[in-house]
Every structure is written in structure tokens, then in C-alpha cells.
Amino acid sequence: MPRLCVDENKCTDCRICQLVCSARYNGVYSPKLSRISKKAGIIPDTTTTDVCRQCSDAPCVAVCPAEALIQPGGEGVVTLDESLCTGCELCVDECPYNAIWFNGETDLAYKCDLCGGSPECEKRCPTVAIYVYEEEAV
Amino acid sequence: MFKYGGYTGNILRVDLTAGTTKVEKLDENLARDYIGGNGIAARYLYDIVPAGTDPLSPENALILMNGPVQGTRVPAVGGRTVVVTRSPLNGFFIDAYYGGHFGAELKFAGFDGIVVTGRSEKPVMLVVEDGEARLVDASPYWGMKTFEFQEKLRGEEEYHDSEITCIGPAGENLSPMACIISGVHAAGRGGVGAVMGSKHLKAVVAKGSGGVRVPDMEALEKYCDSINERMKENPATSKVLPTFGTPAIVAANNNLGLLGTRNYQVEVFDEADAINGEALRNSAFVKSASCFSCPIGCAKLFRMEGDEYGPAESVGPEYETLWSYGSNLANSDLKSIIAADRLSDELGLDTISVGSVIGMAIEAFEKGLITAADTGGIVLKYGDPQLMMDLIKQVATNEGFGAVLGAGTRELGRRFNAEKLAMETKGLEIPAHSPRGYPGMAIGYATSNRGGTHQDGRPSAERGGAVDRKLKEGKGEYIVGVQRMTTLADCLVACRFTEGIFGLTNISEDYVDIMKHVTGMDYTVEELNDVADRVYALERAFNAREGASRKDDTLPYRVLNEPIPDGPAAGEFMEPDVFERELEAYYRKRGWDVETGLPTAETLRRLKLDDVASDLY
């Protein structure tokens, strides 16, 4: 099943992934609104990335009372139907990877849906640090 | 919402004496006529700091500014910030730039810039967050080195995702060579850190959840993609800088016989191979790092085992520091240079000025102009890494011989009758691009409003062969075009590594496109030239109020009188008569008076600087 992976050794912390993400989905450049969260040390020997792992039987899907988070068959990309989202934030709390956020302006959750298969971040990452990893079904 | 894209439309005014902050609206005309960064900050400085203001007094202003492009994806531009103030090192206008992420975060926090005046009684830090600002007691952090401080602050829940701009002990101690540090990046030149220290301002902390709006996101995104494609086709931005960073320049300049060595007494360093880009890549490279929105990733984390000089782990040394703490001191001990780079960042010191003054002091010591009685018993000699480490620490204390060094090469020359050894213009130390071998760069140094900086004039076109390096005829007019480009880039707070893409020698149509895409404003190249000329003339007028004139547009004695003694560039220097000729051509091209070196009243009025014309004439 496809999901985004990050090779932190290659990541230079340029945040282009965040910029293209918020540009596409929010029409503004805003790292906080992107579906990727990044941190780096003062000495940038390490970076860390929070991004949705598209868990099988995803806990966010299970906890959503509005059935706004959708994962057919409990496998693959978890998508959000914004028309159903009530902004309860249960999914934000439930996500073990801190990869769902809440937009206070729209009162909606937001998360990575792999841009429908060809993520903007993967296309633009200058060091190919972020990429779609296709896990073979067992 | 602000009329133009890219801007927040908010400038934060801070009075540290009163302990107050106030948000004021950015004037739309200011945005149109000065764009941002260097330009808007210069206008604020000129307007609020009267002539004769002591740089370390509460009346001086410390201005942090981003521009319309910060926070966007325009490559190699997005995260930078400029600091503008009156320099305590030379008393003139100074603009010092730093990369990293702060400029973008300041934008996301809701501000195009911060203007700080006054002096707090207690150490404070300024915290800006989502359109609001507060002053927080920084007494617990006063005295801390920059990395220790930033890590401690980031460790606190409240600040864990903030970007920090701060000073270290050198700034607190008011060393005229103190810089400002953000992450591992430095606003290096002109003692800006001492101004911050004089205000008892330990740090400015930014965190924001805002975004940057542009007129047509799809169009800008496509434009950014096209710039990235051009960067991939350019060897400097696609291969050399991503692989080696700026240390690649060590070999390039040494091969030309233009690597300043032993305070520019010679310009070939026999041991350059030990400190060049290959050496660093092979023996110390850990990881690449980028500034915000930059695909190049020129910053290199280097690390070497063994801590006999202190921690040998740093993002850097950059080329300038490999010169200043390397060839300039005849020091080929790579580990010591990495450690000295780290130490300087931690203490908050400008590696260019510190390395230059140490190199000069050693030469003066060897010539008997400085003696052990002056140094507190220390014997100064080249090729002594431990001496270098000790002197860096002394400069940061701003006491004893460290204070003598920290006052700069011009002052050292005066004090010890060693003026002929001082490698400075306008009291700012010349960096690592030979003024004897790069004549255009030499005129750039002489005519820079800051003094000895390689960021107004540029060496790149001469070094890379885009123009004839050795040619002197016409280089006065040539450098006007280069300075227009750098001044405009500084208004956008763009990294110099965009110059190979957007044009080395003049303002190109790319800047028209960037302004159109990001702000929605229509400019012609001619109008952008006017913006650059306006800003440069305003800086010059600031200096003129402090007494500057043509007499200050000079070059060091060595550059004008001592040809390079040996190596591939043997015999090269700047003949005084050639220099004066090109200087006059430079003034004429700018519409400046050749007698005074200042913009004429007519030029000032043409640039919509009527008030400045009234001040000067």
C-alpha cells in the first residue's frame, strides 16, 4: 500500500514539501497548513517529519464519529470527506503519528491523501528525500 | 488586507526604553518605491536615526526586515532576513543578511519587519506571534552562547517550534565585531550584534501560523518550477554548491593566485589543498542543509573527531572563513578552522573581521609595530591554531588586547602606526576576494556604502569569466550594474546564489517577473533600476550625514601600492590613477558628483528623494 516515506539523511530542511502542499490545498504558502510537519535541531544533523502513514485499519477512521475519514476495506490511502467532517478533532488526538491537524479557520481536519497518487512534495523535493513507498500486500 | 501580495502590511515598532510595542501599517508607497528588506529598512533608519547618533546608544535603531518574497517558494529567497543599523565598527550604514528560516517565520508571524529603538533596563527578548508581540525577561539567558541558548529556548514547550534570532557573549559585551545568529546562520558584518547587545535585547523569537498570499498561486508555482529547472541546468547551483558548498572557491581562487594569505602579503597558500572543498568533503562532511525554500542546500555540516580546539562540528566554515581563519593566518589545520567557526558562531563573532584583524596583528607583530608588551605577553605568529582560538575568545570579551583587536583593522592601524597593513575600506574589513586580482570587485569595495564587503560589488562574473577579469577599463561603470543587481536582490532579501540564474551583472527581467508574480506590481527593468538607485543613494546620504564623501571611497594601501609578489597573478594590483579614473566613471554613471562622491540634488529628486536633497543641499 502506498505511503509517504522520508529519508531524513537526505532531507535538508528546505520545507519545499510544506510549501507546495499548502499552495495546492490552501492557496497560500503556510507550513502550518501543510500536511507535513517538520522539525530540525539548531545544528541540523537531524530532521524529523510527521506525515500520514496511511495505517491499515487506521485508528483515525475508527474514531471518526461522522464517517468523514474513509479507507475502503481498511487498506490504503485514508481520505477526508470535508463535507462530512464536523471538526470534532477526535482524529487529531487519536493519530499515533501526529499527522492529522485541525484548521481553526475552516473548522476542519486535514491530512495527507497522497494528492490522489502523485504527491506534489515528491515531485518537488530537491533531494528525493520524501517519496512514495509502495508496500507490497502480504 | 494589504494592497499587494507577499506582504503582511504590518511593521512592528518596539521601544525598549518604554517597554512598549506597537503595530503600524506598512505604507503602500514605501512598498512600491523601496520594495522591502534593504530598501524599506534603509528608509526607516534614515528617518529615525539622526546624524551623530552613537551606534550603541538607545537612539540607534536595530531593524530586522524581510521582503515580499519571504515565506514563498521562490527558490533561494524564502527564509532570509536583513539587519540594518548604524554600525558601531565604522559608524556608517550597515546591512547584514542571514539565511535560515527566520525571515519566513517572521512573515508567518504577521510582520514585514521590526524596528527596535531604546534600551531595556533588564535583558529581554522580543516574542512575535500571529500579529502580536511581547517582551519577556531574558535575564536567565544573558551570558549564554548562541547554540546553548537556542537549544534551551526550543526545549521549552512555548517556543519549541519557533525561529530564533539572538546574540552571544560578544554582542552582550558590545564587541564591534559581534554578529547576530539565527540557527547556525550569521548576520555577520559591521557589529550588528553589539547594537542588539546595547539594547539588552538577547533575542527576537518568531512563531506564526499565518500564510503568504500571492495574486495567482498557480502562476507563481509554475514560475518557481521554471526557476528550479534553470537551477538544475546551472553547474554552480546543481552540482558545485550542493556538493561542496562555498568551500569550492578555495581551490578556484588559489589556482588563480588570488587566495589572500598572511594578511594578503601573498596570494598563494601553499597548503590550500588541506583546507579546500575536496578536503572538507572527504574528511569532515556529515550532511547538507538548506535555508527555507532553497533547493540548493549549500550549507554543509562538517565534523571532525577530537576536541583539542573545542567541538569541531559546525555548519561551515564557508569560503570566507576558510580564508580568514585559514590562508589569511597561514593555518592549514582544518579541524581548528571548523572549531574556530563553531566558536565564533557560539560567541557571536564575524569571522571575516576577526580573521582579518588577527592576520593584520600578526604581520604588525612580525614587523615590530606591535610587541608582546601590547598583547599581554602573547607572541603573535602565523600558522598557530591555538593562538587563533585564544584570540577569538579574547575578542568576544571585548577587554584588554581582545578589545584592541575588536575595534577593527583601521583602529589597529592608527594605534600602532600600521595603517599600511589594514585591509579595510570605510573601516570594514575586506573579505576573501582579492581586490588586487579582481579590479571590478576592488571598485565595488571602494564604493560600497558598507565598506569592505563582497555583497555590494561581486567577484562572481570576474572569477567565472563572464567578464574579462584582468580588464580594468570600464570596470567602474560595470560595477554600477552589479551593485544595482545586488541592491535590488537585497530589497528582496534574495541569496547571492540566485545571481547565476537571474543575472550576474545587471537587473534582469527575472526580477520583473518575481515582483509581478509575488506582489502583483508591474515594474519595468528601468523602474527596478530606479528602486536600486534610490536605496543606494539613500544609504549614501545616511553616510554623508556622518561626514562621508569621496575621500572614503578608497582602497587599502597594499591594494594601490604593492603588486601581488608572486604566483600566477604576480604583478597584479590597482594602479592609483586607474582607480581614480574608474571611480569617476562610476560616479558619472550613477549621477553623482565626482568631487564629493555624493548623489547630486538633481539625481536625488529624480529618485523621489526630495527630502534627502533638502537635507544634503
Side-chain angles (χ1 to χ4, degrees):
Chain A
M1 292 297 135
R3 65 184 178 90
L4 279 172
C5 281
V6 177
D7 181 344
E8 303 289 356
N9 288 322
K10 285 186 180 171
C11 175
T12 65
D13 198 35
C14 71
R15 312 293 179 100
I16 288 172
C17 54
Q18 296 182 317
L19 291 171
V20 294
C21 181
S22 65
R24 170 167 172 156
Y25 289 99
N26 304 87
V28 296
Y29 291 116
S30 175
K32 292 277 189 324
L33 289 177
S34 94
R35 280 86 177 137
I36 303 163
S37 174
K38 300 233 38 135
K39 280 197 188 73
I42 298 299
I43 291 180
D45 52 350
T46 54
T47 54
T48 55
T49 310
D50 294 328
V51 64
C52 177
R53 305 187 182 204
Q54 319 293 350
C55 312
S56 299
D57 296 321
C60 57
V61 175
V63 81
C64 179
E67 298 186 355
L69 285 159
I70 300 154
Q71 186 184 42
E75 289 284 348
V77 179
V78 178
T79 55
L80 174 75
D81 184 337
E82 290 189 348
S83 69
L84 297 175
C85 178
T86 61
C88 71
E89 297 187 60
L90 286 175
C91 56
V92 175
D93 296 337
E94 194 70 10
C95 176
Y97 301 108
N98 302 313
I100 307 181
W101 300 270
F102 180 70
N103 183 335
E105 273 187 24
T106 59
D107 278 340
L108 297 171
Y110 58 103
K111 67 175 290 299
C112 171
D113 63 2
L114 292 179
C115 294
S118 181
E120 298 293 330
C121 53
E122 182 190 42
K123 281 187 272 184
R124 291 337 195 299
C125 177
T127 61
V128 206
I130 191 163
Y131 59 98
V132 176
Y133 173 71
E134 189 93 27
E135 220 167 2
E136 284 178 33
V138 179
Chain B
M1 199 184 291
F2 195 67
K3 184 175 177 183
Y4 305 119
Y7 299 90
T8 66
N10 296 320
I11 301 284
L12 181 68
R13 298 291 292 263
V14 180
D15 179 345
L16 289 175
T17 304
T20 56
T21 65
K22 184 180 74 175
V23 180
E24 71 181 26
K25 292 295 160 201
L26 175 63
D27 183 333
E28 286 171 5
N29 293 323
L30 209 57
R32 172 87 208 174
D33 293 341
Y34 294 84
I35 293 181
N38 183 185
I40 291 180
R43 188 69 240 191
Y44 269 99
L45 190 78
Y46 185 90
D47 288 344
I48 64 181
V49 175
T53 300
D54 176 352
L56 299 181
S57 72
E59 287 72 32
N60 195 7
L62 182 81
I63 303 171
L64 306 185
M65 197 71 65
N66 57 32
V69 188
Q70 275 61 52
T72 75
R73 187 165 75 90
V74 176
V77 176
R80 294 173 63 78
T81 315
V82 57
V83 183
V84 166
T85 189
R86 184 178 181 209
S87 165
L89 181 63
N90 67 1
F92 292 136
F93 179 92
I94 187 76
D95 43 337
Y97 297 79
Y98 58 105
H101 289 65
F102 186 87
E105 197 68 27
L106 181 61
K107 181 76 69 73
F108 302 137
F111 296 99
D112 296 319
I114 303 174
V115 181
V116 182
T117 51
R119 174 185 291 149
S120 171
E121 251 178 63
K122 283 192 306 187
V124 287
M125 56 185 189
L126 172 68
V127 181
V128 296
E129 182 176 2
D130 290 337
E132 296 185 349
R134 60 185 187 276
L135 291 163
V136 178
D137 180 22
S139 304
Y141 308 115
W142 200 253
M144 277 189 187
K145 292 180 184 173
T146 59
F147 292 1
E148 174 193 12
F149 165 66
Q150 291 181 90
E151 274 162 6
K152 176 144 181 79
L153 202 62
R154 280 263 192 93
E156 294 176 19
E157 177 66 25
E158 194 179 355
Y159 303 113
H160 78 279
D161 55 355
S162 61
E163 295 295 333
I164 302 162
T165 291
C166 67
I167 54 168
E172 296 173 10
N173 296 334
L174 309 181
S175 168
M177 290 185 180
C179 68
I180 290 173
I181 292 285
S182 181
V184 292
H185 300 266
R189 308 302 316 273
V192 292
V195 176
M196 196 157 159
S198 76
K199 300 192 174 308
H200 296 155
L201 181 62
K202 178 68 179 176
V204 180
V205 183
K207 54 188 281 193
S209 56
V212 181
R213 290 176 194 284
V214 299
D216 184 343
M217 180 59 86
E218 207 174 316
L220 177 56
E221 278 290 286
K222 272 190 189 150
Y223 179 71
C224 292
D225 285 342
S226 74
I227 297 298
N228 280 336
E229 287 308 311
R230 287 160 65 189
M231 284 184 154
K232 282 180 196 164
E233 289 159 14
N234 179 302
T237 48
S238 66
K239 291 199 173 65
V240 179
L241 287 167
T243 308
F244 299 107
T246 59
I249 305 170
V250 171
N253 272 338
N254 199 55
N255 291 341
L256 288 167
L258 300 175
L259 182 65
T261 300
R262 297 174 190 255
N263 194 37
Y264 277 103
Q265 293 179 77
V266 293
E267 303 210 15
V268 174
F269 184 42
D270 295 336
E271 297 163 272
D273 287 354
I275 62 166
N276 68 14
E278 294 269 354
L280 274 158
R281 180 84 198 185
N282 293 336
S283 57
F285 176 73
V286 180
K287 196 173 190 294
S288 291
S290 286
C291 295
F292 189 90
S293 92
C294 184
I296 301 173
C298 75
K300 305 293 162 205
L301 176 60
F302 295 120
R303 184 186 297 141
M304 289 178 85
E305 294 302 316
D307 62 353
E308 58 267 42
Y309 303 113
E313 181 191 46
S314 189
V315 173
E318 301 287 344
Y319 165 64
E320 303 298 333
T321 306
L322 290 161
W323 158 78
S324 68
Y325 291 162
S327 63
N328 196 50
L329 305 182
N331 174 28
S332 60
D333 184 327
L334 191 56
K335 193 192 297 181
S336 75
I337 302 173
I338 297 172
D341 185 60
R342 167 70 174 263
L343 178 67
S344 301
D345 285 352
E346 293 253 34
L347 296 172
L349 280 173
D350 171 14
T351 61
I352 293 176
S353 283
V354 172
S356 176
V357 79
I358 293 175
M360 175 186 166
I362 296 172
E363 185 186 352
F365 193 94
E366 288 185 344
K367 290 189 157 79
L369 298 168
I370 297 177
T371 67
D374 304 309
T375 65
I378 306 168
V379 174
L380 304 184
K381 60 178 191 293
Y382 287 114
D384 185 342
Q386 194 55 57
L387 170 74
M388 169 182 72
M389 301 301 293
D390 292 345
L391 291 179
I392 291 168
K393 287 177 199 160
Q394 282 201 30
V395 172
T397 66
N398 202 25
E399 288 176 355
F401 189 59
V404 172
L405 292 175
T409 50
R410 176 170 284 195
E411 197 51 40
L412 196 74
R414 283 189 190 129
R415 194 182 182 106
F416 295 105
N417 195 26
E419 286 97 335
K420 290 180 179 175
L421 313 186
M423 293 300 292
E424 49 84 12
T425 73
K426 294 187 183 71
L428 184 69
E429 287 68 28
I430 280 177
H433 306 275
S434 170
R436 292 191 290 199
Y438 294 117
M441 186 68 250
I443 299 159
Y445 288 137
T447 56
S448 168
N449 291 322
R450 296 179 255 197
T453 170
H454 58 300
Q455 302 293 1
D456 287 332
R458 293 288 293 155
S460 317
E462 290 181 319
R463 188 176 64 238
V467 297
D468 184 348
R469 176 178 73 77
K470 294 185 182 178
L471 189 72
K472 290 170 186 163
E473 177 85 39
K475 285 287 174 70
E477 292 195 352
Y478 152 84
I479 210 69
V480 174
V482 175
Q483 287 179 345
R484 283 178 173 151
M485 178 275 287
T486 57
T487 305
L488 184 69
D490 286 346
C491 292
L492 294 169
V493 208
C495 175
R496 286 291 176 271
F497 296 148
T498 60
E499 68 186 354
I501 307 300
F502 299 150
L504 292 164
T505 57
N506 285 293
I507 292 171
S508 67
E509 290 285 344
D510 277 305
Y511 293 97
V512 173
D513 292 342
I514 292 170
M515 289 306 293
K516 173 74 181 165
H517 284 307
V518 174
T519 70
M521 280 190 268
D522 286 307
Y523 291 90
T524 62
V525 167
E526 290 70 30
E527 287 170 330
L528 291 176
N529 274 325
D530 283 349
V531 171
D533 283 0
R534 180 175 300 122
V535 172
Y536 214 69
L538 186 64
E539 294 173 5
R540 182 134 297 224
F542 182 91
N543 286 352
R545 289 195 313 201
E546 307 298 343
S549 66
R550 175 169 174 167
K551 70 182 183 324
D552 298 288
D553 290 343
T554 58
L555 287 167
Y557 177 87
R558 177 157 282 157
V559 177
L560 293 170
N561 295 282
E562 297 177 9
I564 295 174
D566 51 28
E572 294 184 21
F573 77 120
M574 178 59 87
E575 298 85 345
D577 58 330
V578 174
F579 173 61
E580 296 299 331
R581 181 193 74 206
E582 293 301 320
L583 188 61
E584 291 185 4
Y586 170 96
Y587 292 144
R588 278 192 288 272
K589 171 105 173 166
R590 279 204 173 278
W592 293 0
D593 186 313
V594 294
E595 299 297 319
T596 63
L598 303 178
T600 63
E602 186 188 0
T603 296
L604 290 169
R605 293 201 180 93
R606 188 183 73 73
L607 296 171
K608 296 202 273 184
L609 292 169
D610 296 73
D611 63 316
V612 177
S614 302
D615 291 347
L616 295 193
Y617 296 100

